[in-house]
Amino acid sequence: MTRAAERSLAVFPGGSLGEYDLPTELATVLTRGEGATVWDSEGRAFTDFTMGWGSVLLGHAHPAVRAAATTQAALGSNFAYVTEPALGLAEDIVAAVACAERVRFCASGTEATSYAVRLARAYAGRPKILKFEGAYHGANDVGTVSLFPHRLLDFPHGEPTSAGLGPGAAADVLVAPYNDLRTTTAILEAHRGELAGIIVEPLHRCTSPQPGFLQGLREISAELGLLLIFDETVTGFRLAYGGAQAYYGVRPDLATLGKALGGGYPIGAVVGRADIMDLVREDRLGEPQYVWFASSLGGNPVSTAAARATLAELRKPGTYDRLFALGESLRSGLRAVMKATGVTAHVQGDGPLAAVIFTDREVVDYRSAYASNRALARAYLLGLFRRGIFLNPMSTKLYLSLAHTDEHIARFLEAARAALDEDCRHRRASA
């Protein structure tokens, strides 16, 4: 273990900033990143397939983003007031995102999903929200109900993934299986009198919606008078310039944005119909439906300047063709690696996203993925890390960026094959 890693373990729980605790034998501290490469305090280079949990879609230290942020930083970093970069970014979002009639910025995706749920509850005057099992909507109460459930309760009962939630947190979140429109509809109809709306990742982690699923959610929510919230923290500006609602052709009532929008700088946004979003106007203070929504750093000029530079790059011709080609190359390559090594796995994802689930079942929801071989997944991920691939050793989800090249994909696939071959040898030796 490096001296820097020892220092990290001494002051951070688990030695990390959150999300996962890096195994002690692999603990490291990063010092810089450029493009699709990061370097640690020992000077070791890693090809990055995490990309700041997907927040760096253009690549690390992209020149246009860096220039926009540093230029603005010299003019002031935060005023907690409307600035030209914030205003321009809001206009960019309204022009790009189908449901975005109004925009309110915050500082993270977790904040954005919290406020979106609050808006839905206030607008409908009802307390409950339906989410899908295994979906992540930030580190708030809704996001941490049935995030990683292990008891697999009967639907629609939710299971808290985190301690410390209020006693009503799980009770106010109904849980349904993703891609199962029949079960979801039955839950919605049975609880329509207490439900405010539905929150969904259109691309559920890396599991694609089956044909008609998102359209069905749109139709049943409209029929029952419920709001449909797309959590586009991951999919926004990643699957298409207009996000998942453009890619899948389904328009929600509200949507949340973050990650790729900021080009690596902290940002979140709630966007949606004007009649819902206007509940946050302070001239409505004291009215029954007024929603408090404020963020000291939300819409700060450095983040919004970086975001505007990011969107300008994403608007360039061929951008999404390139991102999708990279993703397809990685996924098809992984399928070939699994076949060559004799490992049974399901490779999933869309656009510049990919994941491997070590199972012989088709993965359509959380429970079909839950039955996978997680011990093999862990060995595979640690094997990749030892071979110079930087990723989250707790998740097989991979993020690509415009900085990745065909050579980076080839390097990853070579490391994946070696890691799986190594695991197969160990299993044969111990048999």
Side-chain angles (χ1 to χ4, degrees):
M1 186 191 307
T2 67
R3 174 56 186 153
E6 290 176 349
R7 290 169 52 210
S8 182
L9 286 163
V11 293
F12 296 129
S16 77
L17 299 181
E19 177 70 22
Y20 67 87
D21 299 338
L22 198 64
T24 301
E25 69 273 18
L26 299 180
T28 190
V29 173
L30 299 182
T31 57
R32 68 185 182 96
E34 182 178 344
T37 305
V38 293
W39 287 264
D40 72 2
S41 59
E42 300 297 297
R44 295 178 297 182
F46 296 82
T47 305
D48 191 0
F49 281 83
T50 297
M51 303 308 294
W53 306 154
S55 64
V56 194
L57 186 57
L58 302 185
H60 295 293
H62 188 279
V65 177
R66 188 172 69 242
T70 54
T71 297
Q72 179 55 52
L75 302 175
S77 58
N78 192 36
F79 306 105
Y81 198 76
V82 175
T83 61
E84 186 57 42
L87 177 56
L89 179 60
E91 290 170 337
D92 290 342
I93 291 171
V94 169
V97 178
C99 78
E101 297 175 357
R102 297 280 193 276
V103 178
R104 176 62 64 96
F105 290 118
C106 49
S108 70
T110 287
E111 281 186 57
T113 51
S114 296
Y115 283 126
V117 167
R118 184 181 296 177
L119 276 162
R121 286 170 167 161
Y123 184 85
R126 295 185 289 270
K128 296 186 186 296
I129 292 290
L130 182 136
K131 70 171 289 189
F132 293 93
E133 189 175 51
Y136 182 53
H137 300 298
N140 49 53
D141 286 4
V142 171
T144 51
V145 170
S146 290
L147 171 57
F148 298 121
H150 62 276
R151 288 187 288 160
L152 304 182
L153 304 174
D154 291 339
F155 298 113
H157 300 291
E159 177 186 333
T161 293
S162 172
L165 303 186
D172 282 339
V173 179
L174 303 183
V175 178
Y178 185 75
N179 271 328
D180 185 340
L181 190 58
R182 178 178 297 180
T183 299
T184 301
T185 298
I187 294 169
L188 294 172
E189 289 177 338
H191 296 271
R192 63 188 300 176
E194 53 190 351
L195 270 166
I198 305 163
I199 186 168
V200 60
E201 293 178 284
L203 178 68
H204 180 84
R205 314 307 283 145
C206 269
T207 301
S208 295
Q210 294 190 337
F213 178 69
L214 295 177
Q215 290 84 351
L217 293 182
R218 176 66 284 176
E219 291 167 8
I220 189 64
S221 60
E223 179 184 330
L224 298 180
L226 308 174
L227 295 187
L228 179 61
I229 305 168
F230 273 11
D231 180 355
E232 294 225 45
T233 306
V234 170
T235 58
F237 298 99
R238 192 184 311 275
L239 292 186
Y241 187 71
Q245 54 197 274
Y247 186 61
Y248 296 119
V250 177
R251 181 172 178 165
D253 301 297
L254 294 171
T256 62
L257 302 170
K259 288 191 183 290
L261 171 63
Y265 286 80
I267 199 166
V270 181
V271 305
R273 282 171 28 198
D275 61 321
I276 305 169
M277 294 295 298
D278 282 349
L279 295 180
V280 308
R281 287 176 45 169
E282 290 188 13
D283 61 0
R284 304 189 69 158
L285 181 64
E287 295 180 9
Q289 288 183 301
Y290 170 71
V291 173
W292 175 258
F293 187 146
S295 175
S296 296
L297 292 170
N300 74 80
V302 174
S303 290
T304 51
R308 292 207 75 192
T310 298
L311 296 191
E313 293 296 313
L314 293 175
R315 286 194 296 269
K316 291 182 176 179
T319 293
Y320 289 94
D321 289 341
R322 178 61 182 158
L323 286 171
F324 273 66
L326 286 167
E328 182 53 37
S329 176
L330 178 58
R331 290 188 296 272
S332 62
L334 280 167
R335 293 186 186 101
V337 166
M338 300 304 153
K339 183 176 181 180
T341 56
V343 173
T344 300
H346 179 81
V347 179
Q348 58 176 193
D350 204 345
L353 294 164
V356 177
I357 311 297
F358 292 95
T359 179
D360 58 0
R361 302 173 59 187
E362 181 185 9
V363 176
V364 297
D365 60 11
Y366 177 83
R367 296 194 184 190
S368 53
Y370 184 79
S372 65
N373 187 337
R374 288 186 291 280
L376 175 56
R378 178 74 165 171
Y380 159 75
L381 293 166
L382 295 180
L384 285 169
F385 199 97
R386 284 192 294 269
R387 289 167 173 83
I389 302 298
F390 190 80
L391 39 64
N392 179 347
M394 294 294 290
S395 170
T396 64
K397 188 174 184 180
L398 306 171
Y399 289 94
L400 290 164
S401 73
L402 284 169
H404 284 92
T405 65
D406 296 338
E407 289 74 21
H408 291 130
I409 301 293
R411 189 178 306 157
F412 180 94
L413 295 173
E414 181 182 355
R417 180 163 184 162
L420 290 171
D421 280 340
E422 177 185 51
D423 182 74
C424 289
R425 289 194 300 271
H426 286 167
R427 281 185 284 138
R428 285 195 297 268
S430 61

